[in-house]
């Protein structure tokens, strides 16, 4: 019983770590281009996008964990690592596509359209690389994958909420749109980076 409780605590501990202290966007800069495209796009639901991202990262974590262990003894593992993890993502993406086609739910069409955007994302590959280079256990990898997806949703919500305010006439015309959005994301990233205990050395 104690081992199960420890595993659950580890899972949720790493999920919370990935949401806040190691947020994929704000502290690692993963998936920023997709974030900017997602904000203000009425065709793509941020909630469903984040759900597909979470599912993909949780399903990729065990595949990448065992694949990483398989290539660990090889001398050229550093070169193979990205290719192997991309193959893991492709396998999971095909599996999700097959499931969505078989289920035929009311949202299947929308999720099939969102799936390539969510699965083929630098956030997914970057999270897997972080998990393996940090030598996370399987439970830690699963928690970190889930937390990274939820952290991405948090970032989308924060930027979406701010996008309405960033249309203010007080902002110079040269900075409106994408420039002010990137400045806003940068300021948030600095705030979160400082919140986690890092300091800027001048």
């Amino acid at each position: 019983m104690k081992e199960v409780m420890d595993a659950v605590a580890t899972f949720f501990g790493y999920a919370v770590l990935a949401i806040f202290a190691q947020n994929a966007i704000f502290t690692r800069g993963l998936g920023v281009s997709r974030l900017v495209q997602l904000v203000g796009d009425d065709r793509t639901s941020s909630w469903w996008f984040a759900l597909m991202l979470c599912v993909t990262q949780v399903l990729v974590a065990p595949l990448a964990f065992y694949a990483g262990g398989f290539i660990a003894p090889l001398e050229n593992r550093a070169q193979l690592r990205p290719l192997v993890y991309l193959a893991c993502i492709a396998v999971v993406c095909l599996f999700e596509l097959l499931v969505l086609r078989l289920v035929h739910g009311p949202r299947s069409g929308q999720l099939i359209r969102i799936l390539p955007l969510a699965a083929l994302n630098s956030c997914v590959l970057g999270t897997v690389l972080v998990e393996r280079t940090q030598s996370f256990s399987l439970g830690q990898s699963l928690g970190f994958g889930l937390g990274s997806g939820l952290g991405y949703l948090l970032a989308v919500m924060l930027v979406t909420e701010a996008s309405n305010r960033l249309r203010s006439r007080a902002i110079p015309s040269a900075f409106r749109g994408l420039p002010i959005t990137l400045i806003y994301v940068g300021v948030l990233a600095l705030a979160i980076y400082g919140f986690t205990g890092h300091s800027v050395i001048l």
Side-chain angles (χ1 to χ4, degrees):
M1 185 65 177
K2 183 180 183 300
E3 292 179 359
V4 173
M5 294 304 294
D6 287 344
V8 170
T10 299
F11 175 83
F12 284 108
Y14 274 77
V16 171
L17 175 74
I19 294 172
F20 299 107
Q22 295 293 330
N23 187 283
I25 290 177
F26 295 131
T27 63
R28 296 190 179 274
L30 300 173
V32 174
S33 60
R34 182 64 63 199
L35 167 76
V36 172
Q37 294 172 6
L38 193 61
V39 172
D41 183 3
D42 297 330
R43 299 171 302 165
T44 305
S45 166
S46 301
W47 291 97
W48 288 113
F49 182 91
L51 172 67
M52 294 307 297
L53 193 70
C54 286
V55 170
T56 301
Q57 292 191 146
V58 171
L59 292 178
V60 166
L63 274 181
F65 178 80
Y66 291 113
F70 180 75
I71 65 171
L74 302 178
E75 291 183 6
N76 58 342
R77 59 185 174 275
Q79 292 79 22
L80 289 174
R81 203 173 276 141
L83 298 175
V84 170
Y85 297 156
L86 281 172
C88 292
I89 293 169
V91 168
V92 168
C93 189
L94 289 173
F95 172 74
E96 291 173 318
L97 183 62
L98 180 63
V99 169
L100 289 172
R101 287 190 180 279
L102 290 175
V103 170
H104 290 301
R107 299 268 182 184
S108 293
Q110 182 184 10
L111 293 178
I112 288 172
R113 185 175 63 80
I114 292 173
L115 177 60
L117 303 175
L120 305 175
N121 190 316
S122 65
C123 185
V124 177
L125 179 60
T127 298
V128 173
L129 288 170
V130 169
E131 292 165 0
R132 301 312 310 134
T133 54
Q134 296 293 320
S135 301
F136 287 173
S137 67
L138 180 58
Q140 292 169 342
S141 298
L142 290 168
F144 196 81
L146 175 65
S148 293
L150 295 176
Y152 198 97
L153 175 61
L154 174 67
V156 171
M157 290 172 60
L158 286 172
V159 176
T160 301
E161 178 62 29
S163 65
N164 299 324
R165 300 172 186 268
L166 294 177
R167 294 191 184 101
S168 169
R169 292 178 180 270
I171 298 172
S173 57
F175 286 95
R176 289 178 194 164
L178 180 61
I180 194 65
T181 302
L182 292 176
I183 291 171
Y184 173 73
V185 171
V187 171
L188 272 178
L190 284 172
I192 292 174
Y193 194 72
F195 179 71
T196 57
H198 300 284
S199 60
V200 178
I201 300 174
L202 298 177

